[in-house]
Amino acid sequence: MKNIVVFASGTGTNFQAIIDSIDAGDITDAQICGLVASKPGIEAIERARRHSIPVHVVQKSNFKTEQQFSDKLEEVLSHLNPDLIVLAGYLHKIPSEIISKFPQKIINIHPALLPKYGGKGYYGHHVHEAVLEHGDKVSGCTVHYVNEKYDQGPIIEQREVTVEKNDTPETLAKRVSREEHQLLPSVIEKIIHNKS
Ligand code: GRF
């Protein structure tokens, strides 16, 4: 049985997609052993509670230094002992100590076709606004390994979404999100069981 830890900062629809895929048997022989939430009160926490998944709130602003934040994450993760860490809408940078402790074991989902529209400032609606402003005909989503450089780790898989003439950031976000909910569980299944 593989242990998956999910990090989230918001609504957690991707987190839900992982929960549902395990329930449906699309992700096999795995369990989500914990949710690491970046603050209290987020919807992802409610989803975890509904599914009896242990929640660990690690709020960066509660720590005086980056080191203390990193130490806390490390403590939580060594207790959870994950085979895979999934950043599903997690807004903080993962400290480099954590990245080196879990080589090739941390993945992230991003709502654009990286390397386009990645890095600082490109999150949520900002990404889709930029795609529309640039007049791109295609957008999509990317799952990639997490390294020290924000949104720049090796790409694992992408899905494309056609940009429609009348798209707004909201309509585009909705279609990209639907693809994310397919892509992320399918990548997780491949990675944890070494399927290519
Ligand atoms: C997703 O669009 C994901 O690509 C990005 O943050 C969003 C999270 O959405 N990293 P949700 O919380 O899973 O609904």
Side-chain angles (χ1 to χ4, degrees):
M1 178 73 75
K2 300 288 183 181
N3 280 331
I4 301 170
V5 171
V6 177
F7 279 48
S9 296
T11 52
T13 62
N14 280 285
F15 174 42
Q16 187 71 52
I18 303 168
I19 295 171
D20 294 344
S21 298
I22 291 174
D23 286 351
D26 295 331
I27 295 177
T28 57
D29 203 20
Q31 61 180 0
I32 302 176
C33 58
L35 171 74
V36 175
S38 65
K39 57 182 179 190
I42 60 174
E43 212 179 313
I45 293 178
E46 295 311 313
R47 295 178 194 276
R49 298 243 151 92
R50 282 202 289 276
H51 294 273
S52 308
I53 294 167
V55 175
H56 301 265
V57 178
V58 184
Q59 192 165 2
K60 195 173 179 193
S61 59
N62 286 346
F63 298 90
K64 287 206 187 82
T65 63
E66 173 89 16
Q67 186 63 52
Q68 286 171 358
F69 171 61
S70 176
D71 290 347
K72 181 66 192 178
L73 285 180
E74 201 179 320
E75 181 193 316
V76 168
L77 287 172
S78 41
H79 158 76
L80 292 172
N81 194 26
D83 295 292
L84 183 69
I85 298 168
V86 181
L87 310 185
Y90 184 69
L91 286 178
H92 298 301
K93 201 163 182 286
I94 298 293
S96 37
E97 278 175 19
I98 304 291
I99 295 171
S100 21
K101 281 249 150 66
F102 296 93
Q104 299 288 96
K105 280 191 178 175
I106 312 178
I107 63 171
N108 178 48
I109 177 123
H110 186 79
L113 295 175
L114 291 173
K116 284 180 127 186
Y117 312 113
K120 222 172 160 51
Y122 283 121
Y123 61 91
H125 62 98
H126 300 289
V127 173
H128 307 296
E129 277 163 15
V131 169
L132 295 178
E133 270 162 28
H134 283 83
D136 290 8
K137 301 268 183 294
V138 178
S139 188
C141 48
T142 303
V143 179
H144 65 94
Y145 285 108
V146 171
N147 65 11
E148 270 82 7
K149 294 190 181 145
Y150 215 62
D151 290 337
Q152 286 182 41
I155 291 171
I156 303 168
E157 217 176 304
Q158 299 183 305
R159 289 267 175 101
E160 290 190 352
V161 167
T162 306
V163 178
E164 307 289 351
K165 255 219 211 91
N166 300 324
D167 260 334
T168 62
E170 291 74 28
T171 57
L172 181 56
K174 214 176 240 175
R175 289 206 312 289
V176 169
S177 173
R178 268 206 295 271
E179 285 305 316
E180 289 188 323
H181 299 162
Q182 305 288 321
L183 177 64
L184 184 57
S186 117
V187 169
I188 291 174
E189 169 69 5
K190 288 179 196 165
I191 288 183
I192 59 176
H193 300 302
N194 297 315
K195 301 173 179 169
S196 52

